[in-house]
Amino acid sequence: MKPYLTFFLKPQLSKVGLSTSPWLTSAIFLLPVAVGLLGTWLPAFGWLPAIDARAFSIQAWSLMTDYPGFWTALKTTLTTGLVASFLAILITLLLLIGLYPSKLFKTIERNLAPLLSVPHAAFAIGLGLLIMPSGWLVRLLAQGFDQLASPPNIATFQDPMGLSLILALTLKEIPFLLFMSLAVLPSLKVSQTITLTHSLGHSRRYAWVWLIFPQLYKQIKLPFFAIIAYSLTVVDIAMIAGPTTPPTLAVMVNHWFYDPNLELRTLGAAGATSLLAINILVLGLLHLLEKPAALLRCHVVNQGSKKAHRIFWEKPIALVSALLLFSFYIGATLQMLSWSFASRWRYPHLWPDGFSTKAWSRIFNRIDEPFYTTFQLALASATLALVLCILMLENEVRLRHKKRSINTDNIQLLIYLPLLIPQIAFLFGFQVFLIQLGIDANFYALLWSHCIFVIPYVFLTLSGPYRRYDQRYQLQALSLSASHLKSFWLIKLPILLRPILYAFATGFSVSIAQYLPTLFIGAGKFSTLTTEAVAITSGSDRRLIAVMALWQQALPLLIFLFATLAPALLFRKRKALL
């Protein structure tokens, strides 16, 4: 073993490293949130010395509510965010009722990783190319309907009601909810519960709605709340797929922050604070509704005399939903590929009239810097997050070995905090904090901002398999090697290699998808594939838009492919490790 490695992993140093890792990790993502919120609240109430505003007032709030389009933006925000979130969890429930457990669901499970790896912005761009009036869907219909000889004069994308935004958000969040549910379902004994309810004369639907889903909801409540917080306050996907006049409130707030008129910063701060307040109100209301829902459930279960509904309509709906879900993802990717190589594509032709690599050549000339910045940020943030999360989880093992109690629910709530608070509600304040320290607009500050969001996802992906690891392997290895280091590297790491690589791939793709952190903390000095992809959507060249979205989509897909293939190749002769 290398001497330097032995030095760093001496028992005393390892113990210090493990015990300090939770504090270090918490500081990395909680400090920016705390100072960022304070730095946003002060300007919201009139205190922003940078523009010589030094008197507390509520003038910014008054100006905000009088701003043209504010109330429409607020209404659109609530409508799109809440409808998309509830549709996502409803379709997830339908998929589970209709297909879990089954061979088809196993197939869906195996193909979740590619869906999760697709960045939000890239998916929204592909979806837009697919459903716009001259997109593939309308072209397909035009083959059979003469009325569609020219593109219909209907806004099917970026429509004023926000329907395309709802569709994009719903389709993007279903795989995440399925992924989080799959981690919990084995512990809920689904098959046994369904068999028991059948023996009592109840249907599969009854078992899922009244017995299984309430338990499942408790376990995926925080991921669902994170989806609501994201859907209510997302900026990049709302800029691509949402209405424009007026946009959603989060997009409007972002415009205020970047308006040349510096006085609009206080409006931006008030808008960001109001988004936080809306978020807290919605999540608080949902939390309060849990008790009446539990009472209703007890009432229905205790009655127990109603005859079961024998028409099992959930399965065909689940099949159609699964088919549509994968069709939209595959169709969006194929549409982007077609446009990226199209030289000319007249409506209503299904395929381009000619092919060319001109768009790829044009993008190559402007992509080198965003590509390297994106790759470096994603690699560094995912690696740092992975190391910190492994140290935190090893610290849990150490504490359990000492018979110390660990409240995993509190740890999970702490980890979810940056995901429950809207990004736009604290990034402005965090940027001001960095400017005051004189460390803004550099790579390390930008890396820090990405780690705020990468660490939670890496921890949530890794913690389940890591905690389920049978420590008796470790004890056996220790008895043979007498070394914690050897037993970790030779036994524990190979067994956990697949979830570790998946956690790394998840962190990598989360970093690539970050838009607002790069925009605020990068301060215009750094551009990534995501910021370039969002910026280029304001243009009209679909070929360039498609190429940029494909580049954004390709990097996380390659990393997920590596995470899948590497263990399969390494352990091809030891398949029990797979």
Side-chain angles (χ1 to χ4, degrees):
M1 187 176 298
K2 301 287 183 184
Y4 64 87
L5 196 57
T6 311
F7 172 77
F8 278 111
L9 292 168
K10 282 181 177 177
Q12 295 83 355
L13 292 174
S14 299
K15 184 180 174 183
V16 173
L18 292 177
S19 59
T20 55
S21 60
W23 300 102
L24 177 63
T25 311
S26 302
I28 286 177
F29 65 82
L30 290 184
L31 179 65
V33 174
V35 299
L37 286 175
L38 183 63
T40 306
W41 290 344
L42 288 175
F45 290 97
W47 184 270
L48 187 57
I51 60 171
D52 204 24
R54 300 174 187 276
F56 287 105
S57 73
I58 57 169
Q59 187 185 9
W61 294 82
S62 176
L63 292 173
M64 179 185 73
T65 52
D66 292 338
Y67 196 86
F70 169 79
W71 293 106
T72 308
L74 180 61
K75 181 183 168 187
T76 308
T77 297
L78 287 171
T79 309
T80 54
L82 293 179
V83 172
S85 303
F86 283 103
L87 269 179
I89 197 165
L90 178 64
I91 295 172
T92 301
L93 178 61
L94 281 171
L95 288 171
L96 292 173
I97 294 176
L99 302 177
Y100 185 89
S102 67
K103 286 183 180 177
L104 180 59
F105 197 87
K106 282 282 182 189
T107 307
I108 295 173
E109 185 180 343
R110 281 196 295 272
N111 290 288
L112 274 183
L115 304 191
L116 287 167
S117 72
V118 179
H120 286 74
F123 177 70
I125 290 171
L127 183 69
L129 293 174
L130 189 66
I131 66 172
M132 63 175 46
S134 60
W136 244 354
L137 290 183
V138 179
R139 288 170 189 258
L140 275 172
L141 293 172
Q143 308 306 310
F145 296 96
D146 295 337
Q147 295 87 342
L148 293 174
S150 58
N153 189 21
I154 303 171
T156 53
F157 195 66
Q158 293 187 319
D159 58 289
M161 295 176 67
L163 296 178
S164 57
L165 178 58
I166 291 173
L167 180 64
L169 287 170
T170 305
L171 291 172
K172 199 65 196 79
E173 301 306 348
I174 290 172
F176 177 65
L177 277 175
L178 279 175
F179 179 73
M180 299 310 294
S181 301
L182 284 171
V184 179
L185 285 171
S187 64
L188 299 184
K189 299 180 179 177
V190 174
S191 298
Q192 293 93 325
T193 307
I194 293 173
T195 304
L196 182 63
T197 50
H198 279 169
S199 68
L200 296 173
H202 293 293
S203 67
R204 182 185 177 91
R205 181 189 315 140
Y206 180 94
W208 268 102
V209 173
W210 299 112
L211 299 176
I212 301 170
F213 182 70
Q215 298 176 66
L216 176 65
Y217 178 77
K218 286 181 185 172
Q219 303 295 322
I220 64 167
K221 177 182 169 181
L222 288 177
F224 179 55
F225 278 16
I227 285 176
I228 293 175
Y230 177 81
S231 301
L232 286 171
T233 58
V234 65
V235 172
D236 54 349
I237 200 169
M239 289 173 71
I240 297 168
T244 52
T245 50
T248 61
L249 185 55
V251 176
M252 187 178 275
V253 168
N254 191 48
H255 289 163
W256 287 337
F257 276 134
Y258 280 90
D259 196 279
N261 181 1
L262 294 179
E263 291 183 358
L264 288 183
R265 298 292 188 279
T266 55
L267 261 73
T273 308
S274 63
L275 279 171
L276 176 65
I278 291 167
N279 202 40
I280 292 171
L281 281 174
V282 170
L283 298 186
L285 184 61
L286 281 176
H287 180 71
L288 291 175
L289 286 175
E290 287 175 13
K291 197 166 184 179
L295 291 174
L296 175 65
R297 177 197 171 208
C298 287
H299 175 71
V300 172
V301 172
N302 288 335
Q303 276 192 335
S305 58
K306 289 185 178 178
K307 289 187 177 179
H309 299 286
R310 296 299 180 188
I311 302 173
F312 186 39
W313 48 263
E314 285 86 354
K315 187 167 185 179
I317 291 182
L319 285 170
V320 172
S321 301
L323 184 64
L324 284 175
L325 178 69
F326 282 92
S327 299
F328 271 114
Y329 274 86
I330 294 169
T333 305
L334 289 177
Q335 180 78 116
M336 286 191 291
L337 273 172
S338 303
W339 268 113
S340 70
F341 288 106
S343 61
R344 189 179 181 192
W345 196 350
R346 288 180 300 179
Y347 183 90
H349 293 178
L350 274 180
W351 299 101
D353 303 313
F355 292 93
S356 164
T357 58
K358 191 177 176 182
W360 288 87
S361 305
R362 288 172 63 191
I363 285 292
F364 268 126
N365 296 329
R366 56 185 291 185
I367 204 177
D368 51 346
E369 188 182 334
F371 180 87
Y372 287 121
T373 305
T374 304
F375 187 76
Q376 288 171 350
L377 277 172
L379 186 65
S381 59
T383 306
L384 185 61
L386 189 62
V387 171
L388 288 171
C389 290
I390 289 177
L391 288 174
M392 283 177 67
L393 291 164
E394 279 296 317
N395 188 52
E396 282 187 17
V397 175
R398 183 180 68 88
L399 293 176
R400 283 200 180 92
H401 184 68
K402 289 186 172 184
K403 311 293 182 190
R404 300 266 295 273
S405 63
I406 302 168
N407 192 330
T408 53
D409 290 339
N410 287 343
I411 293 173
Q412 195 163 8
L413 180 62
L414 193 70
I415 291 289
Y416 261 103
L417 203 58
L419 308 183
L420 298 177
I421 297 175
Q423 291 186 357
I424 203 164
F426 68 89
L427 280 175
F428 172 71
F430 183 45
Q431 182 188 27
V432 173
F433 171 73
L434 293 175
I435 291 171
Q436 289 173 343
L437 292 181
I439 56 172
D440 63 307
N442 68 59
F443 180 81
Y444 298 103
L446 187 55
L447 175 62
W448 187 5
S449 70
H450 277 231
C451 284
I452 298 169
F453 306 101
V454 172
I455 288 173
Y457 281 103
V458 171
F459 187 86
L460 294 170
T461 309
L462 185 60
S463 59
Y466 213 96
R467 285 169 178 157
R468 286 197 295 272
Y469 173 77
D470 191 343
Q471 290 298 326
R472 288 176 296 182
Y473 289 122
Q474 198 76 353
L475 294 174
Q476 189 73 22
L478 275 173
S479 68
L480 295 173
S481 68
S483 165
H484 286 277
L485 178 62
K486 278 187 179 178
S487 61
F488 178 82
W489 284 103
L490 298 178
I491 304 297
K492 193 168 190 176
L493 190 64
I495 292 177
L496 293 174
L497 184 62
R498 180 184 280 267
I500 286 174
L501 288 179
Y502 262 99
F504 176 81
T506 303
F508 193 91
S509 62
V510 169
S511 172
I512 285 181
Q514 295 307 311
Y515 175 70
L516 280 183
T518 310
L519 205 63
F520 276 87
I521 311 304
K525 281 183 66 177
F526 296 92
S527 59
T528 62
L529 291 176
T530 299
T531 57
E532 288 295 305
V534 175
I536 210 169
T537 52
S538 59
S540 58
D541 194 333
R542 296 178 190 177
R543 298 162 189 79
L544 293 182
I545 294 171
V547 173
M548 189 58 82
L550 284 171
W551 271 112
Q552 195 202 9
Q553 190 171 329
L555 269 179
L557 191 63
L558 287 174
I559 298 298
F560 267 101
L561 196 63
F562 169 75
T564 305
L565 294 180
L569 290 173
L570 282 173
F571 305 129
R572 60 187 181 281
K573 294 181 180 176
R574 292 182 286 173
K575 292 188 177 179
L577 288 173
L578 297 176

